[in-house]
Amino acid sequence: MVDVPRELVRYLARLLAAERRARGTRRGTRALSCFYQALLVLIWFRKAEDKTLLGAGFGVSRATAYRYVAEGVAVLAAQTPGLHEALRRVADDGWSYVILDGKLFDCDRLAETTLSVKGDTIDAWYSGKHRDFGANIQAIMRPDGLPIWTSDAMPGHLHDLTCAQQQGITAALNWSAAELELPALANAGYDGAGHGIKTPVKQPTDGRRLALANRTTNRLLRGLRWQGERGFAILHGRWKALHHTTSSPRGIGDIVAAALHLTHFEYRYLPESR
């Protein structure tokens, strides 16, 4: 039905069973067992199946399929560590730096509007850079490209640096650089993010060529920072549910966080999936 390991299905089933106990759900009152609900959720993540067809395949209604998937996303997202905890783990594992990057996750067209910095009315979830609607998600990656933390969803019109500042990401990275000796590498869009966040030196506005030392620094940064792109590719390639979201874009952050936890399970327990 889906190319996920049975161990992952069992793991998610245990999380769902714990959630049912916490809610006080009586035995035998659900349409699907925890195992089959976990399988339904993982099929949706891996294949992005239409929930109506997915529910029909499991013998449940469309509304039940939506509810079961939402419950699975919630229990998985709740397992992800906070940003400071994730940074501590990276430092304890002996890594020397992390990578900060952002990505626009595609969603349906939305009518929600906001005011631009110039005072014009614009679509809140439309990114002029990408010319598409979506949610801005910030992520922290290890040097090998594995993402360790992802942010909540922010409207697509916002700049990466603005999203990182408003969610306290830059402050956390400033702290990790000072306290954990764990600097962050980022692209030029994060210029001015503060202490410990290394960005390329920009070209002079007067057209002069950069000094040799600055060109060397930029080349070294590019050679290390490209793994940040791989981090998003790992999530986007493994879980097709991240390709396009038809529900509220504000929930994309939880979906990405849930996909992150699934990926970490595969990396931790199934080394052959790396």
Side-chain angles (χ1 to χ4, degrees):
M1 296 178 70
V2 64
D3 60 337
V4 296
R6 194 174 185 86
E7 292 86 351
L8 184 54
V9 184
R10 289 172 174 166
Y11 170 71
L12 179 52
R14 290 194 295 271
L15 293 180
L16 292 170
E19 178 67 15
R20 291 185 184 187
R21 289 193 298 271
R23 294 185 179 190
T25 303
R26 292 173 296 171
R27 186 181 297 273
T29 58
R30 291 290 193 99
L32 295 179
S33 66
C34 292
F35 182 88
Y36 282 103
Q37 181 183 355
L39 189 59
L40 180 148
V41 171
L42 290 171
I43 289 174
W44 179 76
F45 266 105
R46 185 71 97 190
K47 304 175 69 176
E49 292 281 8
D50 178 82
K51 292 189 180 73
T52 302
L53 296 177
L54 186 58
F58 281 85
V60 298
S61 67
R62 177 174 180 267
T64 300
Y66 268 87
R67 187 169 64 252
Y68 278 179
V69 168
E71 188 176 57
V73 168
V75 298
L76 286 168
Q79 306 305 311
T80 56
L83 178 52
H84 286 77
E85 181 183 352
L87 291 170
R88 285 187 185 276
R89 289 182 183 179
V90 174
D92 291 342
D93 288 342
W95 298 101
S96 57
Y97 63 90
V98 293
I99 303 168
L100 170 64
D101 203 1
K103 178 177 174 60
L104 188 79
F105 282 81
D106 190 49
C107 70
D108 282 351
R109 182 185 180 92
L110 295 167
E112 182 181 346
T113 60
T114 187
L115 292 178
S116 69
V117 293
K118 297 181 179 180
D120 300 325
T121 300
I122 59 173
D123 292 312
W125 296 88
Y126 182 78
S127 169
K129 175 182 176 181
H130 298 90
R131 298 183 181 181
D132 197 6
F133 286 83
N136 185 303
I137 298 291
Q138 300 291 302
I140 307 294
M141 270 72 67
R142 293 188 327 200
D144 64 349
L146 181 67
I148 61 166
W149 180 86
T150 56
S151 71
D152 293 334
M154 297 287 285
H157 79 277
L158 293 175
H159 190 274
D160 280 339
L161 178 58
T162 302
C163 294
Q165 289 174 333
Q166 290 186 5
Q167 299 193 79
I169 300 170
T170 53
L173 292 176
N174 297 154
W175 166 82
S176 69
E179 299 296 328
L180 305 178
E181 297 184 358
L182 189 71
L185 308 184
N187 60 42
Y190 295 92
D191 184 45
H195 167 75
I197 302 177
K198 311 297 184 182
T199 58
V201 180
K202 292 185 176 180
Q203 293 287 340
T205 57
D206 58 7
R208 289 182 301 164
R209 192 179 186 189
L210 279 176
L212 178 60
N214 289 334
R215 296 202 305 271
T216 303
T217 299
N218 288 354
R219 178 171 292 185
L220 289 172
L221 283 174
R222 286 196 300 270
L224 297 173
R225 189 174 45 80
W226 69 270
Q227 290 281 19
E229 297 291 337
R230 179 175 180 266
F232 279 118
I234 290 173
L235 296 176
H236 209 255
R238 286 175 183 267
W239 313 107
K240 290 185 179 179
L242 304 183
H243 291 188
H244 183 83
T245 300
T246 58
S247 57
S248 170
R250 297 191 183 278
I252 293 178
D254 284 343
I255 296 173
V256 176
L260 172 67
H261 189 63
L262 293 173
T263 302
H264 273 260
F265 181 93
E266 291 188 338
Y267 266 64
R268 181 178 178 183
Y269 293 99
L270 302 166
E272 66 275 8
S273 67
R274 301 182 184 182

